[in-house]
Amino acid sequence: MATTALVRQGVRHAPRCNVAPPKLGSFDAVVLGSGVSTAVPQLSHILQGHCETAKAVRKADGLTVCEDAHQNPSSKNRRFNVSLLLRYSPPDGSRVRHVMVDAGKTLRQAALAALPQYGVRNIDALLVTHGHADAMLGMDDLRDLQVIEKFWSESGEHIGYQLADGAGPMQIISNKVTLDRVREAFPYLDGNTDFVRPGVLRRRIAYIEFMEVSDDETMDLVGGLPLRVFPVWHGGTYVSLGFAFGGKLKGGYPLVYISDIKDVPPKTMSFLKEAAAVGIDLFMVDALSRSGHPTHMSLDEALELVRKLRPKRTLLVGMDSCAMGDHDEVNEELRALQREGLDVQLAFDGQHLPEFPARDSSDNPGNRKHEQPDAKRLRGDKSAL
C-alpha cells in the first residue's frame, strides 16, 4: 500500500528576515566575507600582541586594526574569508534562488552573521573560484545550507529525509581542477546518494551535484540567472574563476566579481574591456594589501585595473586589514579618486548591495538559449589564456 509523506515540524524560531527579496527579474547581493585567508583579526596578531605595519594603527583611537576587530563585534575591520551571496527572484514568480560564491574556513560564522536577516534557508548553487582553503574548506557545513526535513510514512514511521521548499540538489559549480580538489578534501560529498525512494534520502546528508564547467563559458544558473565564467591568474598561471552576473544588451554586466587575482590573461582582459565599454555597474576585485604579493593584487594593482575598466562603482575585497589599514580611514583616502571619476571603496562583511536587473529590459529571455552546466562538458579554448 502506498504511503503519504508527512512532515512534522519542530518548534519554530521567531522570524528574523528583515530585508525583502529583490523584485521579480532582479537580484541583490550580500558580502558574506571581505577578508584574507587568515581572516581579520589575524589570530597570531592577537595572541602575540602586535601587528606588523604602521598602517595597522587606527588614527582615531590608537588601537591596531586587529585589536578593533577583536574587541568590537560590529567593526568593519572584522573580515571573514571572501564570499558573496546572491538572491535572485525569477521573473516567473517562482521561489527566490540563492547562489553563494565560495565556502571557506569561516563559512559557518559568516552564514550565522548574515543569512537569517535575509531569509536565506537554503543555498541552491555554490560557485567555487579555486581550490584553496579560504574558498572551499567550509564545505562540510553545506548540509546545514539545505532545508532537509524528516519524512514520515502514513503509519508514522520515520523512513528518511527530503528537501523542503521544492528545492533540488545543491549545484557545486567550478572547473575540473577545483572540483577534483574538492573531491580529494571531501570524498563523502561526491558519493552515490542513497535514496529510500525517489526524492527521499536515507540519511540526513548534503544532497549535491557536482557541475563541471570550463574556465570560460556563458550559462544560466538556477532559475535562469545569467552567468559568465572567466579565468584569472592567481599566482603564475594558476587559474581562479571570476564571475559576471546578469547581462546587458550588447555585453555589459550589472556585477563583475573577481575575488582572487594577481594578473589578467589577455583573453580575459579583452572580455573585461568589451564589457566595460558597454558598462559594468559594480566591479568587485581583490586587493590584499598596500605592498606586493605573489598571488594577490595590491591596492595599487587593483586600482590600475579599475582605471582601465572604469566601472560605475568598485568594491575591493580580500583585504588583510592590518596591511591595508583601518576600513574607514582607507575609504577616506579612496574618496580622492572621485576627482578621476572613480567610485572605489573597501567592501565590508554584511554589506547589502541593492538589486540589479538580471537582464537588460530589451533582452527577451525567450530569444536566449537556457543553459545548465553539464557535468561532462568542457568548452572554451584554454590555449588562448
Side-chain angles (χ1 to χ4, degrees):
M1 178 178 177
T3 57
T4 303
L6 297 176
V7 178
R8 297 180 179 177
Q9 304 294 346
V11 179
R12 290 195 174 274
H13 297 182
R16 294 181 57 189
C17 178
N18 55 25
V19 182
K23 65 185 180 183
L24 298 185
S26 299
F27 68 95
D28 64 3
V30 181
V31 179
L32 297 180
S34 59
V36 66
S37 61
T38 59
V40 181
Q42 187 166 327
L43 179 60
S44 64
H45 292 184
I46 296 301
L47 297 182
Q48 297 170 22
H50 69 91
C51 295
E52 297 178 355
T53 68
K55 282 291 182 183
V57 179
R58 289 155 47 93
K59 298 180 181 69
D61 53 19
L63 292 175
T64 68
V65 169
C66 277
E67 283 178 313
D68 174 66
H70 185 230
Q71 296 176 18
N72 179 7
S74 62
S75 170
K76 291 180 180 177
N77 290 314
R78 178 174 287 201
R79 301 185 184 279
F80 297 131
N81 295 158
V82 63
S83 180
L84 190 71
L85 169 76
L86 280 74
R87 301 188 302 169
Y88 172 54
S89 294
D92 63 5
S94 59
R95 67 178 181 84
V96 175
R97 304 308 204 276
H98 301 123
V99 177
M100 189 165 66
V101 183
D102 285 338
K105 298 180 294 180
T106 58
L107 169 65
R108 185 177 185 277
Q109 300 98 303
L112 287 171
L115 300 191
Q117 65 178 306
Y118 292 95
V120 178
R121 298 179 356 125
N122 71 290
I123 298 297
D124 295 287
L126 171 66
L127 302 172
V128 187
T129 56
H130 65 297
H132 290 171
D134 59 337
M136 54 166 275
L137 211 56
M139 290 180 64
D140 182 65
D141 288 316
L142 292 182
R143 60 185 171 187
D144 285 328
L145 297 180
Q146 291 183 302
V147 183
I148 301 177
E149 299 176 328
K150 288 184 176 181
F151 184 97
W152 304 80
S153 69
E154 190 177 53
S155 62
E157 180 187 4
H158 171 218
I159 63 172
Y161 300 85
Q162 66 177 0
L163 297 179
D165 302 331
M170 185 190 302
Q171 298 175 352
I172 311 298
I173 302 171
S174 194
N175 59 14
K176 182 180 187 305
V177 171
T178 299
L179 291 183
D180 285 348
R181 184 70 189 95
V182 171
R183 291 183 178 102
E184 291 174 5
F186 302 99
Y188 53 88
L189 292 180
D190 194 32
N192 293 325
T193 304
D194 187 10
F195 292 99
V196 177
R197 62 179 67 175
V200 180
L201 302 164
R202 187 177 302 277
R203 298 171 53 233
R204 186 186 177 276
I205 59 173
Y207 181 19
I208 65 176
E209 290 181 351
F210 283 73
M211 299 291 190
E212 184 182 317
V213 295
S214 75
D215 293 340
D216 188 355
E217 70 175 85
T218 300
M219 54 184 278
D220 279 353
L221 285 170
V222 288
L225 176 62
L227 173 70
R228 171 68 185 263
V229 181
F230 58 89
V232 297
W233 285 330
H234 183 21
T237 56
Y238 178 78
V239 169
S240 180
L241 297 179
F243 304 112
F245 297 98
K248 293 183 177 181
L249 194 65
K250 299 182 181 178
Y253 291 92
L255 172 58
V256 174
Y257 180 85
I258 308 175
S259 63
D260 292 83
I261 179 175
K262 177 61 180 179
D263 205 356
V264 185
K267 184 178 178 182
T268 296
M269 182 61 79
S270 296
F271 158 68
L272 291 174
K273 286 183 175 179
E274 290 171 2
V278 179
I280 297 173
D281 294 338
L282 176 61
F283 184 48
M284 303 182 72
V285 66
D286 184 16
L288 177 70
S289 64
R290 294 175 183 266
S291 59
H293 191 275
T295 62
H296 293 274
M297 282 188 167
S298 67
L299 177 61
D300 286 344
E301 289 168 336
L303 293 180
E304 180 182 354
L305 181 58
V306 170
R307 288 185 173 100
K308 289 178 180 177
L309 301 180
R310 303 192 67 82
K312 292 181 181 178
R313 183 187 181 194
T314 298
L315 289 175
L316 304 179
V317 297
M319 286 79 67
D320 177 351
S321 285
C322 280
M324 179 69 76
D326 173 72
H327 177 90
D328 292 334
E329 293 172 4
V330 175
N331 276 349
E332 186 60 35
E333 292 179 41
L334 292 172
R335 288 188 183 95
L337 294 170
Q338 293 176 1
R339 294 194 294 267
E340 302 178 41
L342 300 174
D343 179 358
V344 183
Q345 296 278 273
L346 303 185
F348 60 89
D349 290 19
Q351 185 172 9
H352 180 224
L353 308 172
E355 60 191 38
F356 309 88
R359 303 181 190 274
D360 189 282
S361 59
S362 56
D363 179 16
N364 181 358
N367 295 330
R368 191 172 184 271
K369 183 180 178 181
H370 182 87
E371 294 187 283
Q372 288 285 359
D374 184 329
K376 298 297 183 183
R377 188 185 68 244
L378 286 176
R379 293 207 307 262
D381 182 6
K382 294 186 179 182
S383 65
L385 299 185

